Amino acid sequence: MRTFYFNTGVRPENNPNLFGNQVWRGGTKQIPFTCDIDESSRVKFLFACDNPNLEESKSENVIVKEIQEPNGLLSKYAYFLVLEQVYL
């Protein structure tokens, strides 16, 4: 399991309140979530949605993982860009 952060883009001067498991990171309100991705994998979170079969999912350098509970996101899946493929 690995933790990622969904950046809401909300800045504290616009809305200083945090709800649930939201945190302030890098000057914006972010929502942590976990996915079953190996710690050694080099990936970048792209976006979250409820559809695991978008056109992006067909790319060989994109993986789609189910977002694990508990989380503060309404979406069920997270899309990730694979930054480096390691072949054994």
Side-chain angles (χ1 to χ4, degrees), residues 1 32-36 65-72 76:
M1 268 324 150
F33 65 95
T34 58
C35 285
D36 188 15
K65 294 290 187 173
E66 188 169 358
I67 296 171
Q68 303 298 308
E69 297 291 336
N71 70 70
K76 188 170 181 175

Side-chain angles (χ1 to χ4, degrees), residues 32-72:
F33 65 95
T34 58
C35 285
D36 188 15
I37 295 182
D38 187 277
E39 288 290 333
S40 64
S41 297
R42 293 198 56 217
V43 298
K44 177 183 176 184
F45 171 62
L46 296 173
F47 61 90
C49 78
D50 287 332
N51 185 345
N53 300 309
L54 295 178
E55 190 64 32
E56 290 87 344
S57 70
K58 297 175 178 90
S59 172
E60 69 180 53
N61 63 342
V62 171
I63 57 173
V64 181
K65 294 290 187 173
E66 188 169 358
I67 296 171
Q68 303 298 308
E69 297 291 336
N71 70 70

Side-chain angles (χ1 to χ4, degrees), residues 70-83:
N71 70 70
L73 293 179
L74 298 178
S75 300
K76 188 170 181 175
Y77 298 96
Y79 281 67
F80 297 91
L81 176 66
V82 177
L83 300 175

Side-chain angles (χ1 to χ4, degrees), residues 8-19 22-24 27-29:
T8 66
V10 174
R11 302 186 63 73
E13 59 270 17
N14 297 329
N15 185 344
N17 302 319
L18 292 176
F19 301 99
Q22 298 172 348
V23 295
W24 292 113
T28 59
K29 187 182 294 188

